[in-house]
């Protein structure tokens, strides 16, 4: 299928995308944005479309996935979880409980020093993952392959484990 044929077919189908987008977003402006983003992604990825498959279904899948990804981003960034009740169980090992908090201050200082001791190539993806970014989001933000992101996070964990092995009881 040539680029011109693909564009022509996508343009014909694009009119049927708006009602579906309206159903997903329940807002006219958001629906227009969703259709536009879907068409943009379809054009950018036209080489991934296999001739003979259902173009309309392919576009609907792109739209649905785009909507879900956008929804997840919005809800993830807008959610505030009150986890204060869980902090009472954090570090309840007898080695870390003190009345004046000095031991826990040393642990936090050592953890921060170990993280600061990581190379920036490893520290950045590790900290992004730690605060809640997904591998794919990290890869997009840092503009590196997802495999590289996973490898750097793995290496950062190994280095931190080695640097903080004095705090591993029984190892």
């Amino acid at each position: 299928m040539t680029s011109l044929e693909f564009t022509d077919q996508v343009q014909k189908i694009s009119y049927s995308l708006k009602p579906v987008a309206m159903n997903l977003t329940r807002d006219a402006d958001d629906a227009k944005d969703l259709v536009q983003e879907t068409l943009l992604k379809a054009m950018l990825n036209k080489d991934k479309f296999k001739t003979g498959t259902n173009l309309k279904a392919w576009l609907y899948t792109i739209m649905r996935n785009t909507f879900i990804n956008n929804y997840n981003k919005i809800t993830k960034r807008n959610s505030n979880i009150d986890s204060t009740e869980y902090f009472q169980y954090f570090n309840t090992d007898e080695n870390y409980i003190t009345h004046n908090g000095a031991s826990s201050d040393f642990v936090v200082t050592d953890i921060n020093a170990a993280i600061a001791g990581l190379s920036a190539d490893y520290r950045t993806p590790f900290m992004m993952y730690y605060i809640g970014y997904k591998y794919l989001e990290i890869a997009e933000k840092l503009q590196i392959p997802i495999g590289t992101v996973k490898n750097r996070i793995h290496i950062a964990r190994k280095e931190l484990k080695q640097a903080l092995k004095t705090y591993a009881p029984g190892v």
Side-chain angles (χ1 to χ4, degrees), residues 10-80:
V10 167
Q11 186 176 9
K12 287 178 185 174
I13 297 172
S14 68
Y15 297 108
S16 68
L17 295 176
K18 178 117 191 235
V20 176
M22 242 340 247
N23 190 26
L24 289 171
T25 62
R26 310 250 189 252
D27 181 67
D29 291 332
D30 289 341
K32 287 178 186 176
D33 291 343
L34 182 59
V35 169
Q36 186 175 12
E37 192 171 351
T38 301
L39 294 175
L40 176 66
K41 285 182 179 182
M43 293 308 206
L44 292 174
N45 294 299
K46 66 184 166 195
D47 57 318
K48 295 179 184 174
F49 177 73
K50 295 178 182 153
T51 306
T53 58
N54 188 343
L55 180 61
K56 193 174 192 179
W58 188 67
L59 290 172
Y60 284 159
T61 302
I62 292 172
M63 180 184 292
R64 181 182 45 111
N65 290 343
T66 302
F67 173 75
I68 291 169
N69 290 341
N70 290 342
Y71 179 79
N72 286 340
K73 284 180 187 176
I74 290 169
T75 56
K76 184 173 96 174
R77 289 195 173 84
N78 290 339
S79 64
N80 295 325

Side-chain angles (χ1 to χ4, degrees), residues 5 31 52 55 63 65 88 93 111 117 120 127 131 140 160 167:
E5 291 171 340
L55 180 61
M63 180 184 292
N65 290 343
Q88 64 185 341
D93 188 331
I111 291 172
M127 290 308 295
I131 62 173
E140 289 172 355
L160 289 173
Y167 295 105

Side-chain angles (χ1 to χ4, degrees), residues 116-128:
L118 291 172
S119 163
D121 287 341
Y122 299 121
R123 182 177 52 247
T124 303
F126 175 79
M127 290 308 295
M128 289 176 75

